[in-house]
Amino acid sequence: MRPILEARDLTKTYRTGEGEVEALRGVSLTVEPGEFVALMGPSGSGKTTLLQLLGGLDRPSSGEVVLDGIPVSSLDDDRATRLRREKTGFVFQAFNLVPLLSARENVALPFLLAGADPASGEFRDRVDDALRLVDLAAKAERRPSQLAFGEQQRVAIARAIAGRPAILFADEPTGNLDYSTGLEILQYLYRSCAERGQTIVLVTHDAQAGAFADRVLFLRDGRVLEEIGIGRRVEHPARPLIERLALLGE
Amino acid sequence: MHAPARLGLRILRRRPLRSALTIAGIAIGVALVFAALSVDAAAQSGARGYAAQLDGRSDLVVRAFGEGTLSPQSLSAISSTTGVLGTSPQVRRTTFAWSVAPGGIVATRSLGALTVVGVDPEADRAFHDESVVAGAALTAADDGGVVLAEPWASAHGLAVGSRISLMGGGGERTLAVRGVLAASGPALADGGRLAYVTITTARALFALPTGAVDVVEVRVDPAVGVAAVETRLETRLSSEPYLLSTTADDAAALSGASRDIGSGLLLVAAVVLFVGALLVSDALAMSVAERSREVALLRSAGATRGQVHAMVVVEALGMAVAGTAAGIVLGAVMATALVPLVASISDAPVSGAPLDPGALVVAVLLGVLVPVVAALGPAWRAGRVAPVEALRGSALRPRPNGGIGRSAVEGAAASVTGTTVLILGAALTGASSPSGAAPIAGGPAATFLAAVVVALAVLLLVLIAGLVAPAVLRVAGAVVGLAALPLRRSLGAEMRLARGSLAHDPARISVAFAALAVGLGLVVALAGIADGMRRAGEAWIADVAPADYAVVAISPVPDSFGADLAAVSGVSTVTPLRLFDVAIAGRRASAVAVDPGAYARLGALTVVDGSRDAAFAALQAGGAALVPRSVADRFGLRVGDSLGLRTASGEESLRVAAVVAHGVPGAAGESVVVSQSDASRLGISGVSMFLVVAKPGASSALSAALSDVADRYALSVVRPSSIGGAVTGALDRTFGLLDALAVAAVIIAVLSMLDVLLMDVRQRVGELGLLRAVGLTRAQAWRAVVLEAAIVGLAGSVAACVLGVLGATAVLGLGTTAGIQLAVPWAPVGLALLIGLVGAVLVSVYPARLAARVDIARALRAE
Ligand SMILES: Nc1ncnc2c1ncn2[C@@H]1O[C@H](COP(=O)(O)OP(=O)(O)OP(=O)(O)O)[C@@H](O)[C@H]1O
Ligand SMILES: [Mg+2]
């Protein structure tokens, strides 16, 4: 099967006032359709940078990202934007929602941006479907400010999956949540993967979250240090992963 | 410098563009105030200087009434009045001049109209210092000589030895130029179109009786005083009608026109100040709101409230100082450019340096005070930020700016302070002038009242703007949405985002909206008032002089000239009018003698009280007068009342046959209409104006053909609208000038909109990053910002049109007795809509670009 996402020799160098920061120093990876992959690593190891390159939010200094057969890194801004709109979904750590729009409108945002009428049949069904998946159909008309933080993150997940993207990227989606709410969010992500075959790339520094993945890529200093296969399970115990990570000095 | 103060200045440098916008707003306001006050001061001092030069050492001037003269008896009565130190009698009349070729005897080239001043050279020298630049001064015995004034003489190639021919009631006389006077002193009068001759020559020229004079200049013993002499003269001069004026009156009359312009400038400056104060207060409020997290950090790190206050005030002060400095420079440039413009409008020359010290003080005070007052509210709020807010940090963006009421109060406080300083300053600088001519009359109490009224009006305006803004913006949004209907599919997302963003912080949007509405509203109102007044003037003229041309004489000509005009091919009718001065109940008024039949056939006059046919029949029968409403109101006349008219040579009692809407504009207001036969009993004969009606389809050459005939008799052909200055270009120019200045308010309003948009984009970088991540294209981000601006621009300019039309209606309705019908001034309204919309869209281009260029990766990290 053709991988849904492929990265070859990615490097990223940031220029700052004091000099250059090599955030990524040659990362290659592949993600198969339906896979749930976690990117882990200490703070500053380049997780967010890598995710942004994979999702077409930024361009690598060298190397290539191929998403669903399309070379992302060489696209112009408009095409990259459309690619994101059509083939990706994003969930960030915080501020995932446009405060002026209701939960439903936030979920429908990709359709609205595509020039579709989100209130019309097919799109409406997709939005409702996504809201149901995160159990928020009842609060669809609320503004983000009227939702709990965990609920806001669920709306973000609904938006990310509503467009049936080829791949969903999440960067520390539980970073601002308490333990049990965080688990809930991970359950929802897992559910979309298990029930609908949604491909997911999750960035986290939390082993409990990483344990939900089929496979963990461990980064340090801008390189993939280790690949840890976990496999699909109904339960997601964190201990085996923590033990593996301990061996890496974490 | 203290730490918070340093921080305040650092903040200015951190946001250079937005600081520059606010500084520009302050600079424009300061510049306009400085320029307005300076030009006003220059106009006032110019008028005073001019009057002083014309009057020389005379304290009082006695003028013969109307076309009459003062007799030798009156002159000696004046001379012998206690307290009169000396007199200088003059004959002063306007006529036409021609130049005479060397050696020739026939007048060859028309020199146009000229004021002939017949003086007793000895007496005149006691009153005026004239400086002869060529030839010699006039001597008492020189009956064949004339002395001219410099610029006019050289403009017509006349020098010592040239000969000119003057036409008067006593025939034509050729005089030799003996000397040329410098353009100073009395030679400034009438633009230097002056011919000094001996009083004997002048009497002969105009066929006046021996000893008759038109004007007597009087020098008063300071120990007795002008007022005392005035009262004595009033009892002693009882045999002939006359007009008495003091030189102070003359100066006041001269500066009147420029003072009107001055008040206009001040009004515009006040509005600009209002808009500028709104901008400053809004900018500071935004700046504080934006930094609430930072302020909280400072507070938790130990900064006291006082230090936080100081930080905000120093930020304001920094902008104030920079803006004021720039404003003073800009204002000086503006004043220099404005002086010639105002000079072209006012009667007196405008002189004086464009840098008036009083104006400088007021402008600097305003430039510093307004921003600091505007900073008080935001500073207070910044001080109230609790240290714990630094730790929360859960808001996506700084909290909205607070309620509309708060914005209104803060904006109003700043602009009220400014307006008060402006009014007081204007009153004070005006009051410091010797003539006591304050631009806003009525003393300190009235000035204070005016300030309070302005304050309340400002508060009300902003509150109303704030209240209606959301609704108006919604409607404007719908309109823009509708306009974009063909593009709906592709613009849906942008419209939704633009409208959402407008709903986000209504208070701040309201301020931009209010600024635009008021600034553009002023432009519309001024244009509307000018338009209304011009149309009223045109309607007035169409009513009293329904003709295609008016052929005007400087001094009355024989009725028979009319036949020559009637003979011009293409002329349908020629109707003679004779305008003259009368005294009604001892007060000066204007009258016009008409041929009742011909005037009635023209279709002239609207009778408001009685029947038109009966009115003209009564006029024809004699012993009757038709009285314009304004005159009827002034003298309390009604149909059937008897009306006493007095001229230099007679007195008649006429019956008021009807009240008419309007009369022909004369020298002293609208004219009472009488028949030629009644006028002749008052000693009035001849014609001062022929109304010419062209045949239908008359060729365009008619005007030239009429001019040919008119030139022969020293008449001039004009459009009826220019009769008596009813419709003057000066009006249009004055309002044009004010309108041009009012655009400054619009510029500030547009700057304020730019500020709001920049702030908006800056605040929403995170949101934009998110939107871009989930599929918003650059073009869509760009369009959303431009659409937002277009909605505010449309709403603001529509509100401006409503405000402007209402304002113009109020002013026109209050200002005049003449029934001015208001029509919507479509041209200015259209222009305002265009300016509002285009200005807003243009100004949004840069913020829209910023929005389109948001670095997604960085924006997402920044959160
Ligand atoms: N815009 C930027 N300019 C300069 N350096 C940057 C920029 N963005 C990231 N970096 C640097 O690149 C490196 C990788 O950053 P990145 O955010 O990808 O790490 P991370 O693994 O996501 O860390 P964390 O777990 O703290 O989120 C860091 O050293 C960081 O300081
Ligand atoms: Mg990160």
Side-chain angles (χ1 to χ4, degrees), chain A residues 8-184:
Chain A
R8 295 183 205 115
D9 261 336
L10 289 181
T11 70
K12 180 72 183 178
T13 309
Y14 290 110
R15 261 165 262 283
T16 64
E18 293 100 57
E20 299 189 339
V21 178
E22 286 185 71
L24 292 181
R25 303 166 190 249
V27 172
S28 300
L29 58 83
T30 55
V31 176
E32 302 299 330
E35 221 186 345
F36 188 152
V37 176
L39 301 176
M40 294 188 69
S43 181
S45 56
K47 304 183 294 291
T48 296
T49 304
L50 178 58
L51 190 86
Q52 288 182 338
L53 296 186
L54 296 177
L57 295 171
D58 205 355
R59 284 162 185 265
S61 302
S62 70
E64 181 64 84
V65 174
V66 180
L67 203 167
D68 205 11
I70 302 163
V72 179
S73 316
S74 54
L75 295 181
D76 65 17
D77 189 90
D78 260 10
R79 277 181 212 199
T81 303
R82 239 169 292 136
L83 181 90
R84 285 198 300 273
R85 194 152 74 196
E86 286 156 12
K87 295 204 183 290
T88 71
F90 288 93
V91 180
F92 303 104
Q93 182 170 354
F95 314 121
N96 269 297
L97 306 180
V98 179
L100 303 161
L101 305 181
S102 67
R104 171 183 301 282
E105 286 178 302
N106 266 290
V107 172
L109 203 53
F111 305 136
L112 184 72
L113 294 176
D117 180 0
S120 78
E122 185 205 346
F123 298 111
R124 197 182 167 82
D125 291 348
R126 286 213 211 172
V127 170
D128 286 341
D129 187 38
L131 281 166
R132 261 198 305 277
L133 185 91
V134 296
D135 296 325
L136 275 177
K139 296 181 175 176
E141 302 312 324
R142 294 207 191 168
R143 290 279 164 102
S145 57
Q146 298 163 325
L147 292 172
F149 206 82
E151 289 171 332
Q152 292 183 23
Q153 290 302 77
R154 275 149 65 189
V155 174
I157 292 173
R159 184 194 55 223
I161 60 174
R164 313 242 163 101
I167 190 160
L168 186 156
F169 296 100
D171 190 352
E172 315 250 18
T174 61
N176 279 9
L177 302 176
D178 61 62
Y179 179 77
S180 64
T181 317
L183 275 186
E184 218 176 275

